[in-house]
Coordinates of all heavy atoms in Angstrom, one line a residue:
M1 N -1.0 -3.2 5.6 CA 0.1 -2.4 5.1 C 0.4 -1.4 6.2 O -0.5 -0.6 6.6 CB -0.3 -1.7 3.8 CG 0.8 -1.0 3.0 SD 1.9 -2.2 2.3 CE 3.3 -1.2 1.9
K2 N 1.7 -1.4 6.5 CA 2.1 -0.4 7.6 C 2.3 1.0 6.9 O 2.7 1.1 5.8 CB 3.4 -0.9 8.2 CG 3.2 -1.8 9.5 CD 4.5 -2.4 10.0 CE 5.0 -3.5 9.1 NZ 6.3 -4.0 9.5
M3 N 2.2 2.0 7.8 CA 2.4 3.3 7.3 C 4.0 3.5 7.1 O 4.7 3.2 8.0 CB 1.9 4.3 8.4 CG 2.1 5.7 8.1 SD 0.9 6.3 6.8 CE 1.4 8.0 6.8
F4 N 4.3 4.1 6.0 CA 5.7 4.3 5.7 C 6.0 5.8 6.1 O 5.2 6.7 5.8 CB 6.0 4.1 4.2 CG 7.4 4.5 3.8 CD1 8.4 3.5 4.0 CD2 7.7 5.7 3.3 CE1 9.7 3.8 3.6 CE2 9.0 6.0 3.0 CZ 10.0 5.1 3.1
Y5 N 7.2 5.9 6.8 CA 7.7 7.2 7.0 C 9.2 7.3 6.8 O 9.9 6.5 7.4 CB 7.3 7.7 8.5 CG 7.9 9.0 8.8 CD1 7.2 10.1 8.4 CD2 9.0 9.2 9.5 CE1 7.6 11.4 8.7 CE2 9.5 10.4 9.8 CZ 8.9 11.5 9.4 OH 9.3 12.8 9.7
C6 N 9.6 8.1 5.8 CA 11.0 8.1 5.5 C 11.8 8.9 6.6 O 11.5 10.1 6.8 CB 11.2 8.7 4.1 SG 13.0 8.9 3.7
H7 N 12.8 8.2 7.2 CA 13.5 8.9 8.3 C 14.5 9.9 7.7 O 15.2 10.7 8.5 CB 14.2 7.9 9.2 CG 15.3 7.1 8.5 ND1 16.6 7.5 8.5 CD2 15.2 6.0 7.7 CE1 17.3 6.6 7.9 NE2 16.4 5.7 7.3
V8 N 14.7 10.0 6.4 CA 15.7 10.9 5.8 C 14.9 12.2 5.3 O 15.3 13.3 5.7 CB 16.4 10.3 4.6 CG1 17.2 11.3 3.8 CG2 17.2 9.1 5.0
C9 N 13.8 12.0 4.6 CA 13.2 13.2 4.0 C 11.8 13.4 4.6 O 11.1 14.4 4.2 CB 13.2 13.2 2.5 SG 12.0 12.0 1.8
G10 N 11.2 12.5 5.3 CA 9.9 12.6 5.9 C 8.8 12.3 5.0 O 7.6 12.4 5.3
S11 N 9.1 11.8 3.8 CA 8.0 11.4 2.8 C 7.3 10.2 3.3 O 7.8 9.3 4.1 CB 8.6 11.1 1.5 OG 7.7 10.5 0.6
T12 N 6.0 10.1 3.1 CA 5.2 8.9 3.4 C 4.9 8.1 2.2 O 4.1 7.1 2.3 CB 3.9 9.4 4.1 OG1 3.2 10.3 3.3 CG2 4.2 10.0 5.5
H13 N 5.5 8.3 1.1 CA 5.3 7.5 -0.1 C 6.4 6.7 -0.4 O 7.6 7.1 -0.4 CB 5.0 8.5 -1.3 CG 3.7 9.3 -1.1 ND1 2.5 8.8 -1.3 CD2 3.6 10.6 -0.7 CE1 1.6 9.7 -1.0 NE2 2.2 10.8 -0.7
A14 N 6.1 5.4 -0.6 CA 7.2 4.4 -0.9 C 6.7 3.4 -1.8 O 5.5 3.2 -1.9 CB 7.7 3.8 0.4
K15 N 7.7 2.8 -2.5 CA 7.3 1.6 -3.3 C 8.1 0.4 -2.9 O 9.2 0.6 -2.3 CB 7.5 2.0 -4.8 CG 8.9 2.4 -5.1 CD 9.0 2.7 -6.6 CE 10.5 3.1 -6.8 NZ 11.1 3.3 -7.9
K16 N 7.6 -0.7 -3.2 CA 8.3 -2.0 -2.8 C 9.4 -2.2 -3.8 O 9.3 -2.0 -5.0 CB 7.3 -3.1 -2.9 CG 7.8 -4.4 -2.4 CD 6.9 -5.1 -1.3 CE 7.7 -6.2 -0.7 NZ 7.2 -6.8 0.3
A17 N 10.5 -2.6 -3.2 CA 11.7 -2.8 -4.1 C 12.5 -4.0 -3.6 O 12.4 -4.4 -2.4 CB 12.6 -1.6 -4.1
Y18 N 13.2 -4.6 -4.4 CA 14.2 -5.7 -4.0 C 15.6 -5.2 -4.3 O 15.9 -4.8 -5.3 CB 13.8 -7.0 -4.8 CG 12.5 -7.6 -4.4 CD1 11.4 -7.2 -4.9 CD2 12.5 -8.5 -3.3 CE1 10.1 -7.7 -4.5 CE2 11.3 -9.0 -2.9 CZ 10.1 -8.7 -3.5 OH 9.0 -9.2 -3.0
V19 N 16.3 -5.2 -3.2 CA 17.7 -4.6 -3.3 C 18.8 -5.6 -2.8 O 18.5 -6.5 -2.1 CB 17.7 -3.3 -2.4 CG1 16.6 -2.3 -2.8 CG2 17.5 -3.6 -0.9
N20 N 20.0 -5.3 -3.3 CA 21.2 -6.0 -2.8 C 21.9 -5.1 -1.8 O 22.0 -3.9 -2.1 CB 22.1 -6.2 -4.0 CG 21.4 -7.1 -5.1 OD1 20.5 -7.7 -4.8 ND2 22.0 -7.0 -6.3
E21 N 22.2 -5.7 -0.7 CA 22.9 -4.9 0.3 C 24.2 -5.5 0.7 O 24.3 -6.7 0.8 CB 22.0 -4.7 1.5 CG 21.0 -3.6 1.5 CD 21.7 -2.2 1.7 OE1 22.5 -2.1 2.6 OE2 21.3 -1.3 0.9
L22 N 25.2 -4.7 1.0 CA 26.5 -5.2 1.4 C 26.6 -5.0 2.9 O 26.3 -3.9 3.5 CB 27.6 -4.4 0.7 CG 29.0 -4.9 0.7 CD1 29.0 -6.3 0.0 CD2 30.0 -4.0 0.1
F23 N 26.9 -6.0 3.7 CA 27.0 -6.0 5.1 C 28.5 -6.3 5.4 O 29.2 -7.0 4.7 CB 26.1 -6.9 5.8 CG 24.7 -6.6 5.5 CD1 24.0 -7.3 4.4 CD2 23.9 -5.8 6.3 CE1 22.7 -7.0 4.1 CE2 22.6 -5.5 6.0 CZ 22.0 -6.1 4.9
N24 N 28.9 -5.7 6.5 CA 30.3 -6.0 7.0 C 30.2 -6.8 8.3 O 29.8 -6.4 9.3 CB 31.0 -4.6 7.3 CG 32.4 -4.7 7.1 OD1 33.1 -5.7 7.6 ND2 33.0 -3.8 6.5
I25 N 30.6 -8.1 8.1 CA 30.5 -9.0 9.2 C 32.0 -9.3 9.7 O 32.7 -10.0 9.2 CB 29.9 -10.4 8.8 CG1 28.5 -10.1 8.1 CG2 29.7 -11.3 10.0 CD1 27.5 -9.3 8.8
Y26 N 32.2 -8.7 10.9 CA 33.6 -8.7 11.5 C 34.7 -8.5 10.4 O 35.6 -9.3 10.3 CB 33.8 -10.1 12.1 CG 32.7 -10.5 13.1 CD1 31.9 -11.6 13.0 CD2 32.4 -9.6 14.2 CE1 31.0 -11.9 13.9 CE2 31.4 -9.9 15.1 CZ 30.7 -11.1 15.0 OH 29.7 -11.4 15.8
G27 N 34.5 -7.4 9.6 CA 35.5 -7.1 8.7 C 35.4 -7.8 7.4 O 36.1 -7.5 6.4
K28 N 34.5 -8.8 7.3 CA 34.3 -9.5 6.0 C 33.1 -9.0 5.3 O 32.0 -9.0 5.9 CB 34.2 -11.0 6.4 CG 34.2 -11.9 5.1 CD 34.1 -13.3 5.6 CE 33.0 -14.0 4.8 NZ 32.7 -15.3 5.3
P29 N 33.2 -8.5 4.0 CA 32.0 -8.1 3.4 C 31.2 -9.2 2.9 O 31.6 -10.2 2.4 CB 32.6 -7.3 2.2 CG 34.0 -7.9 1.9 CD 34.5 -8.4 3.2
V30 N 29.9 -9.0 3.1 CA 28.9 -10.1 2.7 C 27.7 -9.4 2.0 O 27.2 -8.4 2.4 CB 28.4 -10.7 4.0 CG1 27.1 -11.6 3.7 CG2 29.4 -11.6 4.7
M31 N 27.4 -10.0 0.9 CA 26.3 -9.4 0.1 C 25.0 -10.3 0.2 O 25.1 -11.5 0.1 CB 26.7 -9.3 -1.4 CG 25.6 -9.0 -2.3 SD 25.5 -7.2 -2.6 CE 26.6 -7.1 -4.0
V32 N 23.9 -9.6 0.5 CA 22.6 -10.3 0.4 C 21.8 -9.7 -0.7 O 21.6 -8.5 -0.8 CB 21.9 -10.2 1.8 CG1 20.6 -10.9 1.8 CG2 22.8 -10.7 3.0
E33 N 21.3 -10.6 -1.5 CA 20.6 -10.1 -2.7 C 19.1 -10.3 -2.5 O 18.6 -11.1 -1.7 CB 21.0 -11.0 -4.0 CG 22.4 -10.8 -4.4 CD 22.7 -11.6 -5.7 OE1 22.2 -12.7 -5.8 OE2 23.5 -11.1 -6.5
Q34 N 18.4 -9.5 -3.3 CA 16.9 -9.7 -3.3 C 16.2 -9.5 -2.0 O 15.3 -10.2 -1.6 CB 16.5 -11.0 -3.9 CG 17.0 -11.2 -5.4 CD 16.2 -10.3 -6.4 OE1 15.0 -10.4 -6.4 NE2 16.9 -9.5 -7.1
I35 N 16.7 -8.5 -1.2 CA 16.1 -8.2 0.0 C 14.8 -7.3 -0.2 O 14.9 -6.3 -0.9 CB 17.0 -7.4 1.0 CG1 18.3 -8.1 1.1 CG2 16.3 -7.2 2.3 CD1 19.4 -7.3 1.8
P36 N 13.6 -7.8 0.3 CA 12.5 -6.9 0.2 C 12.6 -5.6 1.0 O 12.9 -5.7 2.1 CB 11.3 -7.8 0.6 CG 12.0 -8.8 1.5 CD 13.4 -9.0 1.0
A37 N 12.4 -4.5 0.4 CA 12.6 -3.2 1.0 C 11.5 -2.3 0.6 O 10.9 -2.5 -0.4 CB 14.0 -2.6 0.8
M38 N 11.3 -1.2 1.4 CA 10.5 -0.1 1.0 C 11.4 1.0 0.5 O 12.3 1.4 1.3 CB 9.6 0.4 2.1 CG 8.5 -0.7 2.6 SD 7.5 -1.3 1.2 CE 6.5 0.2 0.9
E39 N 11.2 1.5 -0.7 CA 12.0 2.5 -1.2 C 11.3 3.8 -1.2 O 10.2 3.9 -1.8 CB 12.5 2.1 -2.6 CG 13.6 3.0 -3.2 CD 13.9 2.7 -4.6 OE1 14.5 1.6 -4.8 OE2 13.5 3.4 -5.6
C40 N 11.8 4.8 -0.6 CA 11.2 6.1 -0.5 C 11.0 6.7 -2.0 O 11.9 6.7 -2.8 CB 12.0 7.1 0.3 SG 11.3 8.8 0.3
A41 N 9.7 7.1 -2.3 CA 9.5 7.6 -3.6 C 10.1 8.9 -3.9 O 10.3 9.3 -5.0 CB 7.9 7.7 -3.7
R42 N 10.5 9.6 -2.8 CA 11.1 10.9 -3.0 C 12.6 10.9 -3.1 O 13.2 11.4 -4.0 CB 10.7 11.9 -1.9 CG 11.0 13.4 -2.2 CD 10.8 14.3 -1.0 NE 9.4 14.4 -0.7 CZ 9.0 15.0 0.5 NH1 9.9 15.4 1.4 NH2 7.8 15.1 0.8
C43 N 13.3 10.2 -2.1 CA 14.7 10.3 -2.0 C 15.4 9.0 -2.3 O 16.6 8.9 -2.4 CB 15.2 10.9 -0.7 SG 15.0 9.8 0.7
G44 N 14.6 7.9 -2.4 CA 15.2 6.7 -2.7 C 15.8 5.9 -1.6 O 16.4 4.8 -1.7
E45 N 15.6 6.4 -0.3 CA 16.2 5.7 0.8 C 15.4 4.4 1.0 O 14.2 4.3 0.9 CB 15.9 6.6 2.1 CG 16.3 5.9 3.4 CD 17.7 5.8 3.7 OE1 18.5 6.3 2.9 OE2 18.1 5.2 4.7
E46 N 16.2 3.3 1.2 CA 15.7 2.0 1.4 C 15.5 1.6 2.9 O 16.4 1.8 3.6 CB 16.5 1.0 0.7 CG 16.5 1.1 -0.8 CD 17.9 0.7 -1.4 OE1 18.8 0.3 -0.6 OE2 18.0 0.8 -2.7
T47 N 14.4 1.1 3.2 CA 14.1 0.7 4.6 C 13.7 -0.7 4.7 O 12.9 -1.2 3.8 CB 13.0 1.6 5.2 OG1 13.2 3.0 4.8 CG2 12.9 1.5 6.7
F48 N 14.3 -1.5 5.6 CA 13.8 -2.8 5.8 C 13.0 -2.9 7.1 O 13.2 -2.1 8.1 CB 15.0 -3.8 6.0 CG 16.0 -3.7 5.0 CD1 17.4 -3.4 5.3 CD2 15.7 -3.8 3.6 CE1 18.4 -3.4 4.2 CE2 16.6 -3.7 2.6 CZ 18.0 -3.4 2.9
D49 N 12.0 -3.7 7.1 CA 11.2 -3.8 8.3 C 11.9 -4.7 9.3 O 12.9 -5.4 9.0 CB 9.7 -4.3 8.0 CG 9.7 -5.6 7.4 OD1 10.6 -6.5 7.7 OD2 8.7 -6.0 6.8
R50 N 11.4 -4.8 10.5 CA 12.0 -5.5 11.6 C 12.3 -7.0 11.3 O 13.3 -7.5 11.6 CB 11.2 -5.3 12.9 CG 11.9 -5.8 14.2 CD 10.9 -5.8 15.3 NE 10.4 -4.5 15.6 CZ 11.0 -3.7 16.6 NH1 12.0 -4.3 17.3 NH2 10.6 -2.5 16.9
E51 N 11.2 -7.6 10.8 CA 11.3 -9.0 10.5 C 12.4 -9.3 9.4 O 13.2 -10.3 9.5 CB 10.0 -9.6 9.9 CG 8.9 -9.5 10.9 CD 8.1 -8.2 10.7 OE1 8.4 -7.2 11.2 OE2 7.1 -8.3 9.9
T52 N 12.5 -8.4 8.4 CA 13.5 -8.6 7.4 C 14.9 -8.4 7.9 O 15.8 -9.1 7.6 CB 13.3 -7.5 6.2 OG1 11.9 -7.6 5.8 CG2 14.2 -7.7 5.1
T53 N 15.1 -7.4 8.8 CA 16.4 -7.2 9.4 C 16.8 -8.4 10.2 O 18.0 -8.8 10.2 CB 16.3 -5.9 10.4 OG1 15.8 -4.8 9.6 CG2 17.7 -5.5 10.8
E54 N 15.9 -8.9 10.9 CA 16.2 -10.1 11.8 C 16.6 -11.3 10.9 O 17.5 -12.0 11.2 CB 14.9 -10.4 12.6 CG 15.1 -11.6 13.6 CD 16.2 -11.4 14.6 OE1 16.7 -10.3 14.8 OE2 16.6 -12.4 15.1
R55 N 15.8 -11.5 9.8 CA 16.1 -12.5 8.9 C 17.5 -12.4 8.2 O 18.2 -13.4 8.1 CB 15.0 -12.5 7.8 CG 15.1 -13.5 6.7 CD 14.1 -14.6 6.9 NE 14.2 -15.5 5.7 CZ 13.4 -15.3 4.6 NH1 12.5 -14.4 4.6 NH2 13.6 -16.1 3.5
I56 N 17.9 -11.2 7.9 CA 19.2 -10.9 7.3 C 20.3 -11.3 8.3 O 21.3 -11.9 8.0 CB 19.4 -9.4 6.9 CG1 18.4 -9.1 5.8 CG2 20.8 -9.1 6.6 CD1 18.3 -7.6 5.5
R57 N 20.0 -10.9 9.6 CA 21.0 -11.2 10.7 C 21.2 -12.7 10.7 O 22.3 -13.2 10.9 CB 20.4 -10.7 12.0 CG 21.5 -10.4 13.0 CD 20.9 -10.0 14.4 NE 20.0 -11.0 14.9 CZ 20.4 -12.1 15.5 NH1 21.7 -12.3 15.7 NH2 19.6 -13.0 16.0
K58 N 20.1 -13.4 10.7 CA 20.2 -14.9 10.7 C 20.9 -15.4 9.5 O 21.7 -16.4 9.7 CB 18.8 -15.5 10.8 CG 18.2 -15.4 12.2 CD 17.0 -16.3 12.4 CE 16.4 -16.1 13.8 NZ 15.0 -15.9 13.8
I59 N 20.7 -14.9 8.4 CA 21.3 -15.4 7.2 C 22.8 -15.2 7.2 O 23.6 -16.1 7.0 CB 20.8 -14.7 5.9 CG1 19.3 -15.1 5.7 CG2 21.6 -15.0 4.7 CD1 18.6 -14.3 4.6
V60 N 23.3 -14.0 7.6 CA 24.7 -13.7 7.5 C 25.5 -14.3 8.7 O 26.7 -14.5 8.6 CB 25.0 -12.2 7.4 CG1 24.4 -11.6 6.1 CG2 24.5 -11.4 8.6
H61 N 24.8 -14.5 9.8 CA 25.5 -15.0 11.0 C 25.2 -16.5 11.2 O 25.9 -17.2 12.0 CB 25.1 -14.4 12.3 CG 25.6 -12.9 12.4 ND1 26.9 -12.6 12.7 CD2 25.0 -11.8 12.2 CE1 27.1 -11.4 12.7 NE2 25.9 -10.7 12.4
G62 N 24.2 -17.0 10.4 CA 23.9 -18.4 10.6 C 24.6 -19.3 9.7 O 25.8 -19.0 9.2
D63 N 24.1 -20.5 9.4 CA 24.8 -21.4 8.6 C 24.3 -21.6 7.2 O 24.5 -22.6 6.5 CB 24.8 -22.8 9.3 CG 23.5 -23.2 9.8 OD1 22.4 -22.6 9.3 OD2 23.3 -24.1 10.6
A64 N 23.6 -20.5 6.7 CA 23.2 -20.5 5.3 C 24.4 -20.5 4.4 O 25.4 -19.8 4.7 CB 22.3 -19.2 5.1
R65 N 24.3 -21.2 3.4 CA 25.4 -21.3 2.4 C 25.3 -20.2 1.3 O 24.2 -20.0 0.8 CB 25.3 -22.6 1.6 CG 25.5 -23.8 2.5 CD 26.9 -24.5 2.2 NE 27.3 -25.5 3.2 CZ 28.2 -25.3 4.2 NH1 28.9 -24.1 4.2 NH2 28.4 -26.2 5.1
P66 N 26.4 -19.5 1.1 CA 26.3 -18.4 0.1 C 26.1 -19.0 -1.3 O 26.5 -20.1 -1.5 CB 27.7 -17.7 0.2 CG 28.5 -18.5 1.2 CD 27.7 -19.6 1.8
L67 N 25.4 -18.2 -2.1 CA 25.2 -18.7 -3.5 C 26.5 -18.8 -4.3 O 26.7 -19.7 -5.1 CB 24.3 -17.6 -4.2 CG 22.8 -17.6 -3.8 CD1 22.1 -16.5 -4.6 CD2 22.1 -18.9 -4.2
R68 N 27.3 -17.8 -4.1 CA 28.5 -17.7 -4.9 C 29.5 -16.7 -4.2 O 29.0 -16.0 -3.3 CB 28.3 -17.3 -6.3 CG 27.6 -15.9 -6.4 CD 27.4 -15.6 -7.9 NE 26.8 -14.3 -8.0 CZ 25.5 -14.0 -7.8 NH1 24.7 -15.0 -7.6 NH2 25.0 -12.8 -7.9
C69 N 30.8 -16.8 -4.5 CA 31.7 -15.8 -3.9 C 32.2 -14.9 -5.0 O 32.4 -15.3 -6.2 CB 32.9 -16.6 -3.4 SG 32.5 -17.4 -1.8
L70 N 32.4 -13.7 -4.6 CA 32.8 -12.6 -5.5 C 34.2 -12.2 -5.1 O 34.5 -12.1 -3.9 CB 31.9 -11.4 -5.6 CG 30.5 -11.6 -5.8 CD1 29.8 -10.3 -5.7 CD2 30.3 -12.1 -7.3
T71 N 35.0 -11.8 -6.0 CA 36.3 -11.1 -5.7 C 36.0 -9.6 -5.8 O 35.4 -9.2 -6.9 CB 37.4 -11.5 -6.6 OG1 37.5 -12.9 -6.6 CG2 38.7 -10.9 -6.1
M72 N 36.3 -8.9 -4.8 CA 35.8 -7.5 -4.9 C 37.0 -6.6 -4.8 O 38.0 -6.7 -4.1 CB 34.9 -7.2 -3.7 CG 34.2 -5.9 -3.8 SD 32.8 -5.8 -2.6 CE 33.7 -6.3 -1.1
E73 N 37.0 -5.6 -5.7 CA 38.0 -4.5 -5.7 C 37.5 -3.4 -4.8 O 36.4 -2.9 -4.8 CB 38.3 -4.0 -7.1 CG 38.8 -5.1 -8.0 CD 39.1 -4.5 -9.3 OE1 38.9 -3.4 -9.6 OE2 39.6 -5.3 -10.2
V74 N 38.4 -3.0 -3.9 CA 38.1 -2.0 -2.9 C 39.0 -0.8 -3.1 O 40.2 -0.9 -3.2 CB 38.2 -2.5 -1.5 CG1 37.8 -1.4 -0.4 CG2 37.4 -3.7 -1.2
F75 N 38.4 0.4 -3.2 CA 39.2 1.6 -3.5 C 39.1 2.6 -2.3 O 38.1 2.5 -1.6 CB 38.8 2.3 -4.7 CG 38.9 1.6 -6.0 CD1 37.9 0.7 -6.5 CD2 40.1 1.6 -6.7 CE1 38.1 0.0 -7.6 CE2 40.3 0.8 -7.8 CZ 39.3 0.0 -8.3
S76 N 40.1 3.3 -2.1 CA 40.0 4.4 -1.1 C 39.8 5.7 -1.8 O 40.5 6.0 -2.8 CB 41.3 4.4 -0.2 OG 41.2 5.5 0.7
F77 N 38.9 6.5 -1.3 CA 38.6 7.8 -1.9 C 39.8 8.7 -1.7 O 40.2 9.5 -2.6 CB 37.4 8.4 -1.3 CG 37.0 9.7 -2.0 CD1 36.3 9.7 -3.2 CD2 37.3 10.9 -1.4 CE1 36.0 10.8 -3.9 CE2 36.9 12.1 -2.1 CZ 36.2 12.1 -3.3
S78 N 40.4 8.6 -0.6 CA 41.6 9.5 -0.3 C 42.9 8.7 -0.5 O 43.1 7.7 0.1 CB 41.5 10.1 1.2 OG 40.9 9.1 2.0
P79 N 43.8 9.2 -1.4 CA 45.0 8.5 -1.6 C 45.9 8.6 -0.4 O 45.9 9.6 0.4 CB 45.7 9.4 -2.7 CG 44.8 10.6 -2.9 CD 43.6 10.5 -2.1
V80 N 46.6 7.5 -0.2 CA 47.4 7.3 1.0 C 48.7 8.1 0.8 O 49.3 8.0 -0.3 CB 47.8 5.8 1.3 CG1 48.4 5.7 2.7 CG2 46.5 5.0 1.2
Ligands
LIG101 ZN1 12.9 9.9 1.7

């Protein structure tokens, strides 16, 4: 087990979590579900290890087939 260190709040306590993350691939939003992450016990910041990050990169840039497609509504916080 590697030592956890939260780069946001400095806490060393984390729990294992599976998270969904949205990535932006050349302007196209892509969701990856069930990513194993360490979640900071204090502030909730999620961290992926190097292997996980590399695996995500391969999934979203590679030829993996998406499970399903979603239509997503996008809002702007500031009115035009
Ligand atoms: Zn933290």
Side-chain angles (χ1 to χ4, degrees):
M1 192 71 192
K2 269 174 286 178
M3 179 75 176
F4 175 84
Y5 179 81
C6 177
H7 64 95
V8 174
C9 74
S11 169
T12 51
H13 298 283
K15 57 181 178 164
K16 185 128 191 174
Y18 289 88
V19 301
N20 300 341
E21 273 285 316
L22 197 62
F23 299 92
N24 206 317
I25 311 300
Y26 306 123
K28 190 180 128 189
V30 169
M31 169 92 91
V32 181
E33 293 184 325
Q34 297 290 304
I35 307 169
M38 293 307 287
E39 187 184 291
C40 175
R42 194 191 290 168
C43 74
E45 174 73 8
E46 292 149 359
T47 316
F48 307 130
D49 63 26
R50 189 190 294 264
E51 299 94 273
T52 305
T53 309
E54 182 61 17
R55 179 103 175 267
I56 293 167
R57 202 185 62 78
K58 284 192 179 132
I59 292 169
V60 298
H61 289 285
D63 47 21
R65 294 250 168 253
L67 287 177
R68 58 183 182 275
C69 283
L70 304 174
T71 307
M72 193 164 52
E73 296 183 357
V74 181
F75 297 92
S76 173
F77 187 78
S78 33
V80 190

